Amino acid sequence: MFIFVFMLTEEKVSRKQQIQEKATELFTAKGYAATSMRDLANHLGIEAASLYSHIKSKEEILQNICFKMAELFFASMSEVRKGEGSATERMKEALKVHVRVITKDPAASAVFFNEWRHMSEPFLSEFLGMRNEYESIFIDILKEGIVKNEFKPMDEKFGMLTLLSSLNWVHRWYKPEGKMSAEDVAEKLASMLIDGIKKI
Amino acid sequence: MFIFVFMLTEEKVSRKQQIQEKATELFTAKGYAATSMRDLANHLGIEAASLYSHIKSKEEILQNICFKMAELFFASMSEVRKGEGSATERMKEALKVHVRVITKDPAASAVFFNEWRHMSEPFLSEFLGMRNEYESIFIDILKEGIVKNEFKPMDEKFGMLTLLSSLNWVHRWYKPEGKMSAEDVAEKLASMLIDGIKKI
DNA sequence: CCTACCGATCGGTAGG
DNA sequence: CCTACCGATCGGTAGG
């Protein structure tokens, strides 16, 4: 009985999911182009040809990772958009939820930020369209804050890029077992960045 | 006579240098692993085999780019280290000279930041050692500023990573023909980041 | 999930 | 700087 339950639990991580997770790990460490399907198969203890029973192509794995992360980023932002409060409060919340998505899966985030360019059309264009849309959320909050005199006057696109670049580096150094918790990182990063843009 | 001078000027860009420059372009656009020597050769109008009269290997090109950029970053910082003034002033200058190195050659910077991991040992270790040394310059200024009560108390490593991440994204969006000049970017980025860490 | 295999392409060398 | 070529490896398929 116990064994049966154990097996059921184990099987919840499907082979396909195992492939996705291991690929995420390898794409992060070596990059998409430098990771071969034989690499991936060896790490899973199977032959390269066997991978194709579960996935259609190497690129499909990349697409899954990138679009899944895109969904997570958008989902995290939906609370912020409808939230009320000052531009300052909403920006801080936006920065924090963005960081939480990254710290929850730093490896998938790394692939999302660094390997998307290896997707072919039409996936590439769709991806870039989503990214633009996402970035405009930050630009809108910046614009509002500037109009309401909460933020310093600045080029909004420049501001957005400066804010997001700090957030989008987190996956390179954040360690779940490190001395700063995910929540620490989110709070401290957001505070520092808000202080940089707010009117004094 | 005019033609002679013209030819001399043209020849100053040696074939080796042309290879380096075109490779930098391609490594930036497609990544090191996804750029083939045949790609590179075609862009130069020669055969792949001919490249090897000028360079030893594909990786040698990467090493040249990465270590040349490392040198430029260190050289730019040498003025700041011996400079006097408050920690705030020195940090601002450090941020600005760092940005100037990036905006002067965004493509080489992109390779420097994103493709270094494809170097083999012992180059990889030497590179990472240099990076650590470079980052410690920023950590030291941060420490000094915190002790002197110019900066907020913070984990210095966290502060360094947050500052540098904003700077190290510049190569992805800076356009020489854009509305912000290189000097604009350096000044505005440094100001915003300094405001984020300084004690109010 | 395996064996057996495909055509294409890789970085690089020999020899001129 | 070229032709001619090397062994290794690539993503992927056929068939079981």
Side-chain angles (χ1 to χ4, degrees), chain A residues 28-31 113-115 117-118 152 155 158 161-162 165-166 169 172-173 179-180 189 192 195-196, chain B residues 28-31 113-115 117-118 152 155 158 161-162 165-166 169 172-173 179 189 192 195-196:
Chain A
T28 301
K30 311 170 51 159
F113 290 125
N114 300 315
E115 307 299 331
R117 64 180 166 181
H118 294 107
K152 301 167 193 161
D155 181 89
F158 165 80
L161 289 164
T162 305
S165 59
S166 282
W169 203 262
R172 300 207 188 194
W173 56 267
K179 60 178 163 181
M180 284 179 81
L189 206 37
M192 183 182 297
D195 283 348
Chain B
T28 301
K30 313 171 48 159
F113 290 125
N114 301 314
E115 308 299 331
R117 64 180 165 181
H118 294 108
K152 302 168 195 160
D155 181 271
F158 164 80
L161 289 164
T162 304
S165 59
S166 282
W169 203 262
R172 300 207 188 195
W173 57 266
K179 60 178 161 181
L189 206 37
M192 182 182 298
D195 282 348

Side-chain angles (χ1 to χ4, degrees), chain A residues 16-32:
Chain A
K16 181 166 183 176
Q17 203 175 327
Q18 284 180 42
I19 292 171
Q20 288 286 335
E21 287 169 11
K22 189 58 75 178
T24 301
E25 211 175 282
L26 294 174
F27 291 172
T28 301
K30 311 170 51 159
Y32 175 79

Side-chain angles (χ1 to χ4, degrees), chain A residues 167-183:
Chain A
L167 308 186
N168 294 348
W169 203 262
V170 165
H171 66 87
R172 300 207 188 194
W173 56 267
Y174 169 72
K175 294 279 178 299
E177 72 279 9
K179 60 178 163 181
M180 284 179 81
S181 71
E183 211 39 49

Side-chain angles (χ1 to χ4, degrees), chain B:
Chain B
M1 181 57 183
F2 276 120
I3 292 169
F4 186 61
V5 172
F6 178 72
M7 282 171 62
L8 273 179
T9 311
E10 283 296 285
E11 278 178 17
K12 266 188 165 174
V13 181
S14 65
R15 203 48 152 167
K16 180 165 182 176
Q17 203 175 327
Q18 283 179 43
I19 293 171
Q20 287 287 336
E21 286 170 11
K22 190 56 77 178
T24 301
E25 213 175 280
L26 294 174
F27 291 171
T28 301
K30 313 171 48 159
Y32 175 78
T35 302
S36 73
M37 296 303 271
R38 283 159 180 82
D39 268 346
L40 177 55
N42 286 345
H43 275 87
L44 293 165
I46 60 175
E47 292 300 316
S50 306
L51 292 168
Y52 293 88
S53 306
H54 303 96
I55 51 119
K56 270 181 254 168
S57 67
K58 185 184 179 187
E59 195 187 310
E60 193 202 46
I61 303 177
L62 179 62
Q63 289 158 11
N64 287 341
I65 299 169
C66 289
F67 285 101
K68 199 195 84 184
M69 285 307 298
E71 269 179 47
L72 290 175
F73 279 114
F74 269 107
S76 78
M77 211 49 69
S78 64
E79 327 160 17
V80 178
R81 288 171 108 170
K82 63 189 174 200
E84 300 181 7
S86 65
T88 304
E89 285 163 354
R90 284 172 58 234
M91 178 60 87
K92 185 159 182 179
E93 194 56 27
L95 298 174
K96 285 172 74 172
V97 300
H98 184 92
V99 170
R100 283 189 203 114
V101 173
I102 294 171
T103 53
K104 195 162 183 184
D105 196 342
S109 299
V111 175
F112 175 83
F113 290 125
N114 301 314
E115 308 299 331
W116 54 266
R117 64 180 165 181
H118 294 108
M119 285 191 284
S120 60
E121 295 291 358
F123 305 98
L124 189 58
S125 290
E126 189 190 344
F127 182 83
L128 291 175
M130 288 178 81
R131 192 178 74 174
N132 264 337
E133 198 187 325
Y134 186 77
E135 289 175 349
S136 73
I137 298 170
F138 289 84
I139 289 181
D140 288 345
I141 304 179
L142 273 175
K143 278 183 183 162
E144 185 192 322
I146 293 167
V147 169
K148 288 187 177 168
N149 226 23
E150 294 177 47
F151 302 149
K152 302 168 195 160
M154 72 183 92
D155 181 271
E156 298 93 2
K157 197 172 174 195
F158 164 80
M160 176 273 290
L161 289 164
T162 304
L163 294 172
L164 283 186
S165 59
S166 282
L167 307 187
N168 294 349
W169 203 262
V170 165
H171 66 87
R172 300 207 188 195
W173 57 266
Y174 169 72
K175 294 280 180 297
E177 72 279 9
K179 60 178 161 181
M180 284 178 81
S181 71
E183 210 41 47
D184 275 348
V185 173
E187 172 61 33
K188 284 177 175 148
L189 206 37
S191 297
M192 182 182 298
L193 293 174
I194 288 285
D195 282 348
I197 59 172
K198 79 177 178 196
K199 203 143 189 170
I200 306 172

